[in-house]
């Protein structure tokens, strides 16, 4: 990992681009920190450039609570090469949705599992690098989507102690099973009328988590309409588990 | 309405018993208030004496936000005479639950509807009396269970501007239909593993609300295990809509 930009200071947050091999990423640290701080890994659907304003907003909230944030580009996102088979799976998904047909589990597997398989080791490598920085010492949480990546990370990565997951994409059956092995505190945000989301799948996933502490926060509106108060609830969740 | 006790002061809250005809009630007002304040009607499952510690706790949180709280005993609760047919319906419910059978809609109707029919006009009469006090001027919210009473009040009582409802009891079909006419902001608390609750019924009710702003907060644990952070979310909901 090496930094690829000078630090930029906005609203009390120091933002800096980095590269982990070929993978671009961004680190945000609270300007005011005098000791090493906890870290939130900011998940997203891919495309760092378009996602930047929203990611920076989430990082600003975390920094206000004395928590660093970091993200990396997803496989196939931004300028990264696409994954084999994903375009075809996406076409099949679109066809099923447009025809008003139920989306077959096999399409969901083809769409999501290759991404999870490739992204999770990358997030773990990023975590290795980030935790070696003097500014950061943990604990670490995962936040956001793609929810299947968050589930796999929560199930396999012991350094992640809490996860706030955004139910906004289809979940393969295998990931649903992995959720039963998750034991860390989980907070799930669900947009009740999310047009691109299967509500029952999100409720089933929430039910599947093996965690003793889990909470679901459902709100009205579509995929990008998460209300401000839901964000505040998520900040409270991180403050409880990271500070 | 007349007061039946001297004011008692605890932790910045003035508590006073009252009677509305034959119905006992309790009013809590913030000690520090210098102008009239908003009001939360505190719903509960009946039995003011046993419920007092929890109700007083909720009133204390509201008072810290400058909001008064009040409650009245339910029909059949405490020393109030039982409702005809309720005991039989309760026996039928217990029998179905013990036998592991689905609880028939007809049992739920017999159990809940008479209570709603009798309680809602009583809450409205209490509201008339409470809003005539110099300390209180509204706006008014309803909080807690029995959820069917809260739904009916939210649907028919225009002075109630927001409702935080505790999904902890069976909901008759007629109430499910009334929920579609509710347009005020609604916040639903659901204990995911509530042994005395039908989770799918609670989710269907949440879906039915006609409100443009509605949020669902589900947490682990049984009926009385609502975690502290869920209470804080509810306080935030009231602060947004009453202040």
């Amino acid at each position: 990992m090496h930094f690829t930009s000078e630090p930029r200071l906005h609203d009390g947050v120091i933002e800096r681009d980095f590269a982990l091999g070929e993978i671009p990423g961004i680190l945000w640290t609270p300007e005011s920190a005098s000791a090493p701080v906890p870290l939130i890994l900011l998940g997203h659907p891919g495309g760092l450039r378009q996602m930047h304003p929203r990611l920076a907003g989430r990082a600003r909230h975390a920094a206000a609570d004395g928590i660093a944030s970091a993200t990396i580009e997803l496989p196939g996102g931004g300028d990264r090469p696409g994954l084999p088979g994903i375009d075809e799976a996406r076409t099949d998904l679109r066809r099923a949705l447009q025809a008003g047909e139920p989306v077959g589990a096999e399409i969901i597997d083809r769409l999501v599992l290759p991404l999870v398989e490739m992204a999770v080791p990358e997030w773990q490598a990023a975590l290795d690098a980030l935790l070696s920085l003097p500014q950061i010492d943990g604990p670490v949480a995962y936040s956001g989507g793609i929810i299947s990546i968050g589930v796999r990370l929560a199930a396999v990565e012991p350094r992640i102690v809490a996860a706030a997951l955004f139910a906004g994409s289809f979940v393969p059956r295998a990931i649903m099973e992995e959720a039963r092995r998750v034991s860390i505190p989980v907070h799930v945000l669900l947009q009740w009328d999310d047009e691109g989301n299967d509500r029952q799948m999100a409720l089933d996933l929430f039910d599947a988590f093996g965690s003793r502490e889990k909470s679901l926060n459902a709100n009205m509106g579509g995929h990008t309409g998460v209300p401000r108060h839901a964000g505040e609830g998520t900040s409270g969740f991180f403050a409880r588990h990271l500070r």
Side-chain angles (χ1 to χ4, degrees), chain A residues 21-110:
Chain A
E22 301 292 305
I23 309 167
I26 312 173
L27 172 67
W28 293 267
T29 48
E31 184 196 9
S32 60
S34 56
V37 293
L39 173 68
I40 298 175
L41 300 176
L42 296 183
H44 58 86
L48 276 192
R49 213 165 294 140
Q50 306 91 292
M51 291 301 297
H52 181 269
R54 279 201 273 161
L55 292 167
R58 288 156 65 191
R60 203 159 49 236
H61 281 289
D65 290 327
I67 301 170
S69 301
T71 193
I72 53 173
E73 184 60 277
L74 284 192
D79 299 327
R80 297 194 62 195
L83 288 175
I86 292 276
D87 286 345
E88 194 190 331
R90 207 169 276 142
T91 305
D92 293 345
L93 171 70
R94 207 169 293 136
R95 192 181 301 138
L97 289 174
Q98 281 171 356
E101 291 165 8
V103 179
E106 172 271 335
I107 298 179
I108 296 172
D109 287 353
R110 279 194 287 127

Side-chain angles (χ1 to χ4, degrees), chain A residues 84-223:
Chain A
I86 292 276
D87 286 345
E88 194 190 331
R90 207 169 276 142
T91 305
D92 293 345
L93 171 70
R94 207 169 293 136
R95 192 181 301 138
L97 289 174
Q98 281 171 356
E101 291 165 8
V103 179
E106 172 271 335
I107 298 179
I108 296 172
D109 287 353
R110 279 194 287 127
L111 189 70
V112 180
L113 286 181
L115 187 61
V116 173
E117 292 292 341
M118 191 163 168
V120 165
E122 293 179 353
W123 281 103
Q124 291 180 295
L127 192 49
D128 293 341
L130 291 160
L131 285 175
S132 71
L133 296 173
Q135 308 96 302
I136 295 173
D137 68 350
V140 182
Y142 184 86
S143 166
I146 288 174
I147 194 165
S148 294
I149 294 176
V151 173
R152 168 74 58 89
L153 274 169
V156 304
E157 176 48 68
R159 292 173 293 182
I160 294 180
V161 302
L165 301 171
F166 185 43
S169 45
F170 292 99
V171 177
R173 298 157 295 184
I175 298 290
M176 210 64 99
E177 286 309 308
E178 284 176 52
R180 299 185 197 284
R181 299 207 306 270
V182 170
S183 59
I184 59 171
V186 172
H187 181 69
V188 176
L189 278 179
L190 169 64
Q191 289 299 93
W192 198 252
D193 292 326
D194 192 340
E195 54 293 335
N197 190 16
D198 184 318
R199 186 197 298 162
Q200 191 57 50
M201 193 174 280
L203 294 171
D204 290 345
L205 176 64
F206 179 70
D207 195 44
F209 281 114
S211 313
R212 205 168 49 82
E213 181 184 338
K214 54 184 180 181
S215 52
L216 173 75
N217 186 348
N219 292 281
M220 294 306 290
H223 195 64

